[in-house]
Amino acid sequence: MNPTLRVTVWGEFRHEKKNPKVAALYPRGMHETIADFLRPHSDFTVRTAWLDQPEHGLTDAVLASTDVLIWWGHQAHDDVHNDVVAKIKTRVLEGMGLIVLHSAHYSKIFKTLLGTTCSLKWREATDKERLWNINPAHPITQGIGEYFEIPAEEMYGEPFGIPEPEQLIFISWFTGGEVFRSGATWQRGNGRIFYFRPGHETYPTYHHPQVQLVITNAVRWARATVCIPDHCPNAPALEPLPPDPEAAARSTIGHV
Ligand code: ZN
């Protein structure tokens, strides 16, 4: 594998152009803010891509040279082309890591990889969020401590329509009394997936140092360690086989 960890940060980049409040928090886009705190790490090579670029900025060459893809989307999930989603899925199954942020719980790529509704409860009312670190030995929580707080965030509440997480990392509590599985991992094929809840666009969440640390740790955890293309070969036997009288007939039919 490439010695540097190649990260692509993908952002929808629509709210920032329409909502002055979002633009004030993220003048060059949320994806660029995320890229900015990752770039100082010498083991990372970071680039960005967004929805309104050709192929959403995710050409075959970009995907082939991405070890970890970070995804933020919200209002335009349906604008993401299905063929691009299919290519991302293929790359995850090959080994690419995927970090899914906040409202991307409803992104096509997350829903197709998890296979469930991914629905949840929500409320935009400036709750305080307290994220409990319930997996302190996990690489994603290193340096985080027992919990951390985000002073103002959108609430997401259970039930969250996800498959049982393979590793549960964080549980959030909100001022309104709800709880939520706000950090969870799964493996699909050879790729690692991390969902991380915080990041509503009207709050400065991606400037929060501990949110930045979680995402940075998650990039290292999710990095691709292999790239194994999918194939389904007709395999010759490794040892001599007894005579098979039906083999000739079967070879004329082809693969069964
Ligand atoms: Zn939101």
Side-chain angles (χ1 to χ4, degrees), residues 19-247:
N19 185 338
K21 189 174 179 182
V22 182
L25 291 168
Y26 302 106
R28 293 181 297 117
M30 302 170 80
H31 54 298
E32 289 296 343
T33 296
I34 293 167
D36 280 347
F37 69 73
L38 295 173
R39 284 195 175 105
H41 295 272
S42 59
D43 52 332
F44 295 172
T45 301
V46 182
R47 63 187 155 197
T48 59
W50 56 93
L51 181 63
D52 291 324
Q53 291 178 299
E55 299 180 63
H56 312 317
L58 299 174
T59 61
D60 291 351
V62 168
L63 286 173
S65 57
T66 296
D67 296 311
V68 177
L69 177 64
I70 299 177
W71 192 274
W72 192 100
H74 179 222
Q75 63 176 194
H77 296 313
D78 288 345
D79 292 352
V80 179
H81 297 308
N82 290 340
D83 59 338
V84 174
V85 175
K87 288 179 183 179
I88 299 168
K89 179 180 177 182
T90 295
R91 283 288 297 127
V92 171
L93 298 179
E94 287 175 350
M96 183 182 75
L98 178 67
I99 298 174
V100 177
L101 298 174
H102 187 63
S103 41
H105 71 91
Y106 257 176
S107 61
K108 288 181 179 178
I109 185 59
F110 191 57
K111 290 174 73 174
T112 193
L113 282 166
L114 265 57
T116 52
T117 65
C118 300
S119 297
L120 47 78
K121 225 174 255 163
W122 62 279
R123 175 179 60 246
E124 204 176 330
T126 313
D127 282 73
K128 176 169 77 177
E129 177 176 10
R130 181 176 296 131
L131 291 100
W132 288 94
N133 170 7
I134 62 165
N135 201 335
H138 198 280
I140 291 177
T141 60
Q142 296 314 293
I144 292 300
E146 193 174 25
Y147 67 87
F148 70 98
E149 294 179 351
I150 302 173
E153 251 292 358
E154 180 181 16
M155 185 281 294
Y156 277 7
E158 296 284 345
F160 185 18
I162 50 174
E164 190 71 24
E166 290 167 21
Q167 297 163 317
L168 194 53
I169 310 287
F170 294 107
I171 292 177
S172 285
W173 168 92
F174 294 87
T175 320
E178 295 84 359
V179 296
F180 189 75
R181 289 170 288 175
S182 51
T185 77
W186 299 265
Q187 177 143 349
R188 288 294 182 269
N190 300 298
R192 290 177 168 185
I193 302 169
F194 176 54
Y195 175 77
F196 189 45
R197 195 218 75 86
H200 187 65
E201 66 275 5
T202 58
Y203 301 114
T205 298
Y206 294 123
H207 297 285
H208 190 297
Q210 280 162 301
V211 169
Q212 295 182 354
L213 179 56
V214 169
I215 295 171
T216 303
N217 288 345
V219 165
R220 293 199 177 97
W221 171 82
R223 73 174 304 168
T225 56
V226 295
C227 179
I228 303 176
D230 179 37
H231 68 319
C232 188
N234 183 345
L238 301 178
E239 303 285 341
L241 295 176
D244 179 357
E246 297 176 9

